[in-house]
Amino acid sequence: MKKLRLFLLSILMTLTLTAGLGALASLDGRERDKGGDLPVFTPDRSVKQLQEELLVDQLQSANHSLPISRVHFTQEGSLILDVKVAASIMNPALLYEEMAHWLNFSFHEMNNVNRLELRMVIDDRKAHKKQILLGLDALKEQATMERILEMKQADARLSEETEQALRLTYTLIWHKIFDPKLSSFP
């Protein structure tokens, strides 16, 4: 008799629990039908934004080739980067490729960067000094995919239009290392 009572009690508990969950689910449906606002679009999780609190982590995950020596991100959307270049690098294509990477990351992977100020800095430990090799000050609307691809595929010099649009600045050190014929130019 006790076993029968225990069996009937467990069946009754199961039915009560099932009915209670069904009633709870129907309450949620009634709340939606009362005319409340429903979101038409859900937030896109693929949109990425740089955040000051996570800046180092976000830049570390950017798969860059050369180390970053200085970084700053402003509320206005300016990303300022100094990238360390070894004095032994004698190929401008590597530097252009790194710059193209940062342009793509800043303007096409992140949606809140409007300006990228990037400097390639030679860190000469023997002489205990840092020297700027190359810099750019690019605005988002000027950094088109065509210009980024040109920079990524460049061997020596970029087109004048790309240099002007991305506001590239070649220093005297650049000319001495990569273009000795032009080293007399400022």
Side-chain angles (χ1 to χ4, degrees):
M1 190 70 165
K2 255 187 175 181
K3 288 184 181 182
L4 182 62
R5 190 188 286 170
L6 199 56
F7 177 71
L8 289 174
L9 187 60
S10 67
I11 289 178
L12 184 63
M13 292 284 287
T14 304
L15 291 174
T16 306
L17 184 62
T18 306
L21 289 174
L24 192 61
S26 69
L27 282 176
D28 181 45
R30 279 191 235 146
E31 286 296 318
R32 276 192 244 149
D33 294 338
K34 284 186 178 179
D37 292 337
L38 290 175
V40 177
F41 297 104
T42 57
D44 186 6
R45 303 280 184 232
S46 66
V47 174
K48 295 181 183 176
Q49 292 188 339
L50 278 184
Q51 299 171 0
E52 186 69 35
E53 315 81 54
L54 303 172
L55 190 58
V56 173
D57 293 333
Q58 288 176 310
L59 294 178
Q60 289 283 328
S61 66
N63 297 325
H64 51 87
S65 302
L66 300 173
I68 299 169
S69 63
R70 190 186 83 136
V71 63
H72 180 67
F73 183 65
T74 67
Q75 289 180 340
E76 295 80 31
S78 291
L79 177 61
I80 302 158
L81 285 173
D82 281 1
V83 175
K84 279 193 225 177
V85 176
S88 61
I89 292 182
M90 298 305 286
N91 186 351
L94 295 172
L95 303 176
Y96 285 139
E97 189 174 334
E98 185 74 6
M99 290 181 121
H101 167 76
W102 285 115
L103 283 165
N104 186 56
F105 173 81
S106 300
F107 299 138
H108 297 283
E109 291 182 30
M110 298 294 148
N111 70 348
N112 63 336
V113 179
N114 303 317
R115 181 179 187 175
L116 174 64
E117 296 177 44
L118 176 63
R119 298 186 312 175
M120 296 290 188
V121 179
I122 293 178
D123 190 7
D124 191 351
R125 293 180 186 247
K126 291 178 185 176
H128 300 291
K129 63 181 177 179
K130 296 179 182 180
Q131 297 175 316
I132 298 172
L133 182 64
L134 173 67
L136 71 78
D137 183 5
L139 300 174
K140 186 173 192 164
E141 50 277 352
Q142 297 296 322
T144 63
M145 282 308 290
E146 291 80 21
R147 289 189 176 123
I148 293 172
L149 283 173
E150 178 189 345
M151 184 173 268
K152 192 172 187 171
Q153 297 168 351
D155 286 331
R157 219 41 214 252
L158 299 169
S159 70
E160 219 173 291
E161 295 83 24
T162 297
E163 287 179 1
Q164 288 175 357
L166 300 178
R167 297 186 282 198
L168 267 114
T169 304
Y170 297 94
T171 64
L172 188 57
I173 300 165
W174 174 276
H175 292 297
K176 284 181 181 177
I177 295 172
F178 298 118
D179 199 3
K181 305 180 279 221
L182 300 174
S183 64
S184 61
F185 292 113

